[in-house]
Amino acid sequence: MNKFLTLLAILCGTVVFGQTSISGLVSDSNTGDPLPGVNVRVVGKAIGNSTDFDGNFTLNTNEELPFSIEFTFVGYQTQTVEITGDTEDLQIALVENATSLDEVVVSASRTPESVRESPVTIERIGIRDLKSASSPSFYEGLENLKGVDMNRGSLTFNSINTRGFATFSNERFVQLVDGMDSSSPALNFPLGNLVGVNELDLQSVEIIPGAASALYGANAFNGILFMNTRNPFENTGISTYAKTGLTVQKAAGDNVFYDLGARYAHAFSEKFALKVSISYLKGTDWYANDDNMYSNANTNVGEPDEVLAYRSGPAHDGLNIYGDEVSLAANGLNFREFAQLAEASGQLPAGLSGLIPEVNVARTGYYEQAFTDYNAESFKWDAAFHYRPNGDDLEIIFNTRGGYGSTFYQGTNRYALKNFILQQHKLEIRNKDFFVRGYMVTEDAGDSYDMRFTGINIAKYKATEWFGAYLGGYLEAVLGGATDDQAHSLARVVADSDETTTPRPGSELFNQLFDEITSDGNLETGSKFIDQTKMYIGEGNYNFARLLDDKWDLQVGGSYRQYSLNSEGTIFTDYDGPINYDEYGIYVQGIKKLMDDRLKLQASIRYDKNKFFDGNYSPRASITYAAGDARDHNFRASFQTGFRNPTTQDLFIGLDAGRAILVGSSPDNLDRDLPNTPLTGRKVYSDSYTAASVSEFAATGDPTKLRPVDQEFDIDGNLIPTNLVQPEKIRSFDVGYRGIFGKIYVDVSGYYSKYENFISNSNVVTPISGTTLDQSGVFDIVTGNFDVFQTYTNSKADISSYGGTIGLNAKILKKLDVGLNYTLAKFDFDQSSDPDFSAGFNTPEHKWKFSIGSAKIVDNLGFNFNLRWSDEYLWQATIANAVIPERTVIDAQVNYYVPKINSMFKMGGANLGGKEYQSAVGAPFIGTQFFVSWVFNQ
């Protein structure tokens, strides 16, 4: 025991002699208001603390006298004070920056620099902004930043994007938490803040719109989001929050939610500190209940689907209704042919089949709420141990972070992610000049399942008997004088009334089938989503600036990443064990300042190599210039490139999604078995017809309309796979201006981006026995001896996008912060250059956002108001294509601070106008969310 205590004392570096104590108050020099969250640290040492909500601070150190302490706070000028002994009641008045140009960011160049020096467009929010957010969570509040879009798919899973081409599975946008990629290893996209940061532990958020591959590698394509947490050496103590309120939606009604969180941080000494944070949210998610049918039978690619109202015909396939996909046509029959089979078997008197129309009939499906209780749940935890062996800026960090919860994800189908777990474990060594980190990301899909296939496989139960009852009901109605529409309606009532063939939601039979199907990973009979994929990442960076006497900044870095896919054959073709592959990258960046530091030149280049593709170079160059006596007119221009590696699904998916069999195009995937087909990827990618040409053939009967997908031959004349997916590339030109005119801060930016090898999906039809080289392929199409596949490839079309933002911010009457910004986003694409390609820009062309607020409009009372307007846009996705109407959304909050208990109370609401809206077709309509919160010692 004594040895243990001795060791603990050594590790903690506890010293009780010669300690200096400093305490005092930090306030705003203009208003006299106390400033909470100011960083207080010993100059040249990694020793510090922060002020509490009243602006008070206490700092104890063993540093030899005299020494200096530094006070830093976002939006204020840094102040340094010399300490010669114990000091009480030190009064520090910080001077607010004249403009936001002096705020410090790190992500744009991987080194600290002011916003005015940033070579690219950047958005930043700090602790003050986080506290005044008018949305129920800080993450949702990011939508108020200019140029930022948020696609809302759930109460707990929302997807951020910039510069277009949005999806819920946003593989083009990277999200980092303390340097760690928070993407799902299998899905390859961030899960919003479902597995992210507790708001009590958040220090700042930075967003770079546009390509950033030159420094951050693959997939930093449309933009990158950085969430940085608080250091336990500088931000100690216990903080808690409690939040509750109502979600209000027409479909779901009024439902209570609650959100609780806590953070504890303690610096045991100048060498050892730790922090722990947890949060838990529970509520009822937004219902998705669109029962319209979306049909592209009479529309072209690039146009919205034809919308057919509920029960538009006997084979209505509602978007958020599942099970109505089970139809006679899916089994190669129409209604009359089914009746003829009944006649042939003696179940129907001869001749009656002539009364039956040649139409398709589908089972009655189940609304989505039959397959879920819409439980929205999120539990996040984070623990970090920080060790500074020398008591200076050299720091060793072990961090473990994770999230557990239930939410909804919309991709090819809609998925209930139930009891989903994602964990991150990191070891990092860093100081001012370098960092080296290694971390792993693991996930477990838990009890997740595909809701569409749950409905399909329940509807398969006694389907033949159901169609027989439907046939009998139809004939009885027709013979009784009913019209065709009336007969179909009566037939459906008859078939659905038999509980032995139509399981009722909530019944013992339904629950039994539901449990069996959602526990089965074979989509022919089940719907379970199995995934235990892992990702291993190593990264490092060294800045030689100090060795070069700060004459110029030279950085060298690199990264390595390995994927280990493990879905047990339910998503990927990993039925014989995990699939492993890797990629790596190295980069160098140089920065030089000239003309009394007014002119800043910057250039970087990165090389990346994936196992399956040739190496890729990503250069970037930029120039910034600060004009004016106060350097408050700043101009910037940059050329940057980016690339996006195909995702794990693009490479190795092997999934029968019902509408088509999805098959990845990795060279290692071409000969692997695929579900529910005798074919392999090699046949699919070498010997298929385009889906559009098969549709033309079906409409005209002209076999010359059939067009094979691009074909190539080896030296022996054999077909070889073509159009295998390759990395997507972007070249982007950005210009911008940041400056101040009187009291108005102006930020203007514009960009033009050109895409190459745009990653896309293409549906093809593959003959099973025949070949597209001769008439045997035509015969297979005519006889139905084919399978439909979704392939992963690149569009040959010329695609470009352009746009810009204008932001105006001002402080009026010394206390009111007012902001207005506008975003333009457009893209150019000639549909005729690639008729089968769906671009999926999925972004409003015009957006306006307005804000007004005050941290302290009167004593201890603050407020914030945000208004967002966006115009209509076309949403294109596998699930459906539809125009999303324009919308106006208002969020607002008022808060009151009680100094005696160091607490802030807040009351607010999101979408206070009450008009429900969708981000995407098939997603839920978002209603109003009211909330009240109590935050202690943030």
Side-chain angles (χ1 to χ4, degrees):
M1 183 67 178
N2 289 335
K3 291 182 179 179
F4 172 77
L5 293 175
T6 301
L7 178 63
L8 182 63
I10 293 172
L11 287 174
C12 296
T14 304
V15 178
V16 295
F17 301 104
Q19 192 174 70
T20 303
S21 178
I22 309 105
S23 61
L25 173 70
V26 182
S27 60
D28 183 303
S29 64
N30 182 37
T31 65
D33 295 335
L35 293 176
V38 176
N39 289 319
V40 184
R41 59 186 297 272
V42 176
V43 175
K45 298 289 182 179
I47 305 165
N49 206 337
S50 61
T51 59
D52 62 20
F53 212 100
D54 294 319
N56 296 312
F57 72 93
T58 299
L59 180 64
N60 297 311
T61 178
N62 301 308
E63 190 69 17
E64 183 179 346
L65 294 168
F67 59 87
S68 297
I69 58 174
E70 183 180 71
F71 299 83
T72 59
F73 192 47
V74 174
Y76 287 80
Q77 297 176 14
T78 298
Q79 191 172 141
T80 303
V81 176
E82 186 178 54
I83 303 298
T84 57
D86 285 353
T87 305
E88 296 182 359
D89 198 28
L90 185 63
Q91 300 294 310
I92 303 296
L94 293 185
V95 178
E96 189 171 10
N97 289 330
T99 74
S100 299
L101 297 174
D102 297 309
E103 293 185 358
V104 175
V105 294
V106 177
S107 57
S109 304
R110 281 194 182 268
T111 189
E113 61 189 355
S114 66
V115 169
R116 73 173 75 239
E117 296 178 300
S118 171
V120 294
T121 302
I122 190 166
E123 299 295 321
R124 185 192 190 283
I125 60 174
I127 293 176
R128 286 196 302 173
D129 305 296
L130 298 171
K131 291 177 179 178
S132 63
S134 59
S135 55
S137 74
F138 81 88
Y139 195 85
E140 294 169 86
L142 298 178
E143 189 176 10
N144 292 311
L145 298 175
K146 65 179 180 294
V148 175
D149 296 296
M150 183 167 290
N151 298 306
R152 299 179 184 267
S154 165
L155 192 65
T156 53
F157 174 28
N158 300 297
S159 177
I160 283 181
N161 189 53
T162 58
R163 298 194 175 180
F165 303 104
T167 66
F168 287 108
S169 53
N170 194 2
E171 304 98 344
R172 301 168 182 273
F173 194 88
V174 173
Q175 184 169 295
L176 302 178
V177 179
D178 290 335
M180 289 190 289
D181 189 341
S182 61
S183 297
S184 157
L187 302 176
N188 286 150
F189 59 84
L191 295 172
N193 201 40
L194 181 68
V195 183
V197 179
N198 182 327
E199 62 185 62
L200 296 170
D201 195 36
L202 193 63
Q203 179 72 27
S204 65
V205 177
E206 297 177 17
I207 298 178
I208 300 176
S213 294
L215 291 182
Y216 295 99
N219 304 337
F221 202 76
N222 269 27
I224 188 166
L225 165 68
F226 303 82
M227 291 190 283
N228 307 302
T229 65
R230 298 182 176 189
N231 191 299
F233 280 108
E234 300 169 357
N235 298 273
T236 61
I238 298 175
S239 304
T240 61
Y241 75 85
K243 190 181 303 179
T244 188
L246 283 177
T247 55
V248 179
Q249 186 196 29
K250 293 177 183 176
D254 299 352
N255 294 282
V256 176
F257 78 93
Y258 56 88
D259 183 5
L260 309 171
R263 178 185 185 269
Y264 170 76
H266 183 69
F268 294 94
S269 69
E270 296 175 357
K271 294 186 176 182
F272 182 66
L274 67 81
K275 65 176 181 177
V276 178
S277 66
I278 58 172
S279 63
Y280 180 73
L281 179 148
K282 186 174 179 61
T284 300
D285 220 314
W286 309 111
Y287 283 26
N289 65 340
D290 188 347
D291 55 17
N292 290 316
M293 179 176 176
Y294 292 79
S295 172
N296 59 10
N298 300 311
T299 61
N300 298 314
V301 176
E303 299 175 346
D305 295 338
E306 181 182 4
V307 181
L308 304 174
Y310 180 62
R311 199 47 65 206
S312 57
H316 184 88
D317 183 4
L319 189 58
N320 295 131
I321 298 177
Y322 313 125
D324 50 4
E325 298 87 351
V326 176
S327 68
L328 293 174
N331 291 283
L333 298 171
N334 62 42
F335 197 17
R336 178 175 293 176
E337 290 169 338
F338 179 76
Q340 290 169 346
L341 290 176
E343 280 182 338
S345 64
Q347 296 175 315
L348 188 69
L352 289 182
S353 62
L355 299 175
I356 305 301
E358 293 180 322
V359 297
N360 187 26
V361 173
R363 287 206 68 166
T364 305
Y366 301 89
Y367 277 89
E368 186 174 284
Q369 50 263 44
F371 305 119
T372 176
D373 57 7
Y374 282 106
N375 175 47
E377 188 173 19
S378 173
F379 175 66
K380 296 193 284 277
W381 67 90
D382 181 19
F385 305 87
H386 292 238
Y387 178 58
R388 294 172 171 173
N390 304 319
D392 55 16
D393 66 338
L394 180 64
E395 194 165 358
I396 302 171
I397 303 167
F398 174 72
N399 180 206
T400 179
R401 170 180 287 117
Y404 163 92
S406 297
T407 188
F408 297 89
Y409 158 61
Q410 180 171 309
T412 303
N413 297 326
R414 279 183 54 82
Y415 303 88
L417 302 184
K418 185 177 180 182
N419 303 327
F420 182 93
I421 301 174
L422 190 143
Q423 300 180 66
Q424 298 173 310
H425 308 287
K426 178 183 74 169
L427 181 63
E428 180 173 4
I429 304 174
R430 70 184 186 193
N431 72 1
K432 288 182 179 179
D433 300 324
F434 80 95
F435 71 81
V436 177
R437 70 172 70 102
Y439 63 96
M440 66 179 295
V441 185
T442 69
E443 66 184 351
D444 187 332
D447 302 312
S448 302
Y449 55 94
D450 182 322
M451 291 188 289
R452 181 168 179 263
F453 272 94
T454 303
I456 288 173
N457 285 314
I458 287 180
K460 287 179 181 178
Y461 178 77
K462 293 191 176 182
T464 301
E465 291 85 347
W466 187 91
F467 285 114
Y470 190 101
L471 175 60
Y474 182 89
L475 283 170
E476 182 179 353
V478 168
L479 293 172
T483 65
D484 180 65
D485 288 342
Q486 291 171 337
H488 278 295
S489 297
L490 290 170
R492 190 167 298 277
V493 171
V494 170
D496 288 343
S497 64
D498 187 349
E499 296 188 13
T500 65
T501 60
T502 304
R504 299 280 192 273
S507 69
E508 183 178 349
L509 175 59
F510 183 93
N511 292 339
Q512 177 187 340
L513 291 171
F514 178 84
D515 291 342
E516 291 174 357
I517 290 167
T518 56
S519 301
D520 181 356
N522 182 353
L523 293 184
E524 274 289 285
T525 53
S527 62
K528 185 175 176 60
F529 182 82
I530 299 173
D531 176 36
Q532 294 182 338
T533 296
K534 297 179 175 63
M535 184 166 63
Y536 304 90
I537 300 174
E539 298 176 321
N541 182 87
Y542 194 92
N543 191 328
F544 292 88
R546 194 153 53 172
L547 296 177
L548 298 171
D549 297 325
D550 292 320
K551 293 181 179 179
W552 60 301
D553 186 297
L554 176 65
Q555 295 185 58
V556 177
S559 63
Y560 172 82
R561 178 176 303 213
Q562 182 187 71
Y563 295 94
S564 182
L565 311 182
N566 185 9
S567 73
E568 299 181 18
T570 61
I571 305 171
F572 306 109
T573 56
D574 54 357
Y575 47 80
D576 55 352
I579 298 173
N580 299 315
Y581 72 96
D582 55 14
E583 57 192 36
Y584 64 87
I586 55 174
Y587 62 87
V588 60
Q589 173 180 264
I591 302 174
K592 179 64 176 176
K593 295 181 179 180
L594 303 167
M595 299 173 61
D596 192 25
D597 292 348
R598 287 180 178 269
L599 180 67
K600 180 180 176 182
L601 305 177
Q602 184 171 337
S604 60
I605 189 168
R606 181 181 177 112
Y607 174 80
D608 285 271
K609 178 71 173 71
N610 180 285
K611 175 181 178 180
F612 303 112
F613 310 110
D614 294 335
N616 184 78
Y617 290 93
S618 303
R620 180 175 84 167
S622 66
I623 181 172
T624 60
Y625 182 75
D629 294 339
R631 307 191 181 197
D632 52 9
H633 297 284
N634 296 265
F635 301 87
R636 66 185 184 274
S638 67
F639 165 75
Q640 46 199 329
T641 58
F643 75 102
R644 179 166 83 89
N645 277 331
T647 67
T648 53
Q649 296 181 64
D650 297 337
L651 297 173
F652 286 103
I653 197 167
L655 175 69
D656 185 351
R659 301 176 180 90
I661 299 172
L662 284 53
V663 53
S665 64
S666 158
D668 287 6
N669 201 49
L670 296 179
D671 296 311
R672 289 177 168 268
D673 291 341
L674 297 171
N676 307 319
T677 180
L679 304 177
T680 64
R682 186 169 300 277
K683 169 78 169 178
V684 173
Y685 282 93
S686 64
D687 195 10
S688 298
Y689 296 110
T690 67
S693 72
V694 173
S695 297
E696 289 183 59
F697 172 48
T700 64
D702 181 0
T704 64
K705 299 292 185 182
L706 289 172
R707 297 189 306 274
V709 178
D710 295 345
Q711 294 180 329
E712 294 181 11
F713 301 86
D714 62 18
I715 57 175
D716 297 322
N718 299 313
L719 284 167
I720 59 176
T722 60
N723 296 330
L724 301 183
V725 68
Q726 296 292 313
E728 182 178 336
K729 300 179 181 181
I730 183 175
R731 290 173 294 150
S732 187
F733 301 88
D734 286 64
V735 294
Y737 165 81
R738 301 183 187 97
I740 186 167
F741 293 89
K743 295 183 178 181
I744 301 176
Y745 170 61
V746 180
D747 190 344
V748 181
S749 67
Y751 68 91
Y752 175 82
S753 299
K754 187 77 172 177
Y755 296 85
E756 179 183 346
N757 286 338
F758 200 98
I759 294 177
S760 64
N761 302 132
S762 180
N763 281 1
V764 300
V765 179
T766 309
I768 292 177
S769 302
T771 173
T772 59
L773 297 176
D774 56 38
Q775 291 300 307
S776 63
V778 179
F779 182 77
D780 274 3
I781 300 299
V782 172
T783 59
N785 189 33
F786 62 83
D787 280 323
V788 179
F789 295 88
Q790 177 178 293
T791 61
Y792 294 79
T793 183
N794 304 89
S795 173
K796 297 179 176 62
D798 290 329
I799 301 172
S800 61
S801 66
Y802 60 93
T805 62
I806 301 174
L808 305 174
N809 294 85
K811 185 181 283 292
I812 60 177
L813 303 177
K814 294 186 177 181
K815 290 190 175 184
L816 282 176
D817 295 303
V818 181
L820 177 67
N821 68 71
Y822 166 76
T823 301
L824 171 71
K826 296 194 69 173
F827 86 112
D828 284 333
F829 165 57
D830 181 4
Q831 188 71 60
S832 63
S833 65
D834 193 347
D836 295 332
F837 172 59
S838 178
F841 191 63
N842 297 348
T843 301
E845 182 175 335
H846 305 285
K847 294 188 294 288
W848 287 93
K849 300 176 184 180
F850 171 76
S851 65
I852 183 169
S854 174
K856 191 175 182 181
I857 189 67
V858 295
D859 288 346
N860 300 328
L861 183 68
F863 79 98
N864 200 15
F865 173 92
N866 293 96
L867 182 147
R868 300 184 299 275
W869 175 87
S870 60
D871 67 353
E872 67 177 28
Y873 56 97
L874 175 64
W875 184 273
Q876 295 175 285
T878 305
I879 199 168
N881 307 285
V883 173
I884 305 300
E886 68 173 64
R887 62 177 180 263
T888 301
V889 179
I890 295 174
D891 302 341
Q893 62 88 8
V894 293
N895 62 78
Y896 187 76
Y897 173 60
V898 182
K900 289 185 178 180
I901 57 174
N902 195 16
S903 296
M904 174 180 281
F905 296 89
K906 184 189 289 188
M907 178 175 63
N911 192 22
L912 290 173
K915 185 176 181 180
E916 297 180 2
Y917 66 92
Q918 276 183 309
S919 293
V921 60
F925 280 85
I926 306 301
T928 301
Q929 187 172 5
F930 301 100
F931 67 92
V932 294
S933 67
W934 173 19
V935 181
F936 168 73
N937 194 31
Q938 185 174 19

